Amino acid sequence: MEPSLARHQAVLLLVFLSYFQGADSGAVQLDSSNIDGILENNDFVFINFYADWCRFSNMLAPIWDEGADKIAKELAGKKVVMGRVDCDKETSLGSRFHITKY
């Protein structure tokens, strides 16, 4: 297979998978309006601070969401949440938690 064709197919597959990912699956999207409530009402909160432009953030995203789905299934009814914060959109949260790298 020609390299450029393989690259185009891979990109299309990623777009397809990201478009059709379940809306209520994966990590909880945290922002300034909900983070305090999530932190107060749960025993454990794991947060991925990410940036869409960051290669490493993009590599972690599907793994993080898969982990969140497994935790939600295995620990249903427990006060455990896996969340994510878009540091480009939520700059105040990045500053609040001293996030400087993604």
Side-chain angles (χ1 to χ4, degrees):
M1 184 179 300
E2 190 175 320
S4 63
L5 179 59
R7 187 177 318 126
H8 288 279
Q9 288 176 336
V11 168
L12 287 174
L13 178 62
L14 289 173
V15 168
F16 176 80
L17 291 174
S18 66
Y19 182 75
F20 288 105
Q21 181 180 11
D24 44 340
S25 67
V28 175
Q29 189 67 46
L30 302 174
D31 57 34
S32 57
S33 70
N34 67 359
I35 195 166
D36 290 324
I38 296 286
L39 291 171
E40 289 172 12
N41 296 314
N42 292 283
D43 295 329
F44 294 99
V45 180
F46 300 93
I47 303 175
N48 174 20
F49 291 89
Y50 72 94
D52 283 332
W53 52 263
C54 174
R55 180 177 77 136
F56 300 109
S57 292
N58 289 320
M59 290 169 58
L60 177 62
I63 298 165
W64 192 262
D65 285 339
E66 182 180 343
D69 290 339
K70 286 183 180 183
I71 284 177
K73 181 180 177 184
E74 298 293 325
L75 300 175
K78 306 287 185 193
K79 293 185 173 193
V80 179
V81 172
M82 286 185 72
R84 61 180 172 223
V85 174
D86 183 340
C87 288
D88 284 333
K89 292 180 181 173
E90 299 294 330
T91 56
S92 64
L93 291 180
S95 297
R96 175 178 166 187
F97 291 98
H98 308 285
I99 305 302
T100 59
K101 307 231 187 275
Y102 312 103

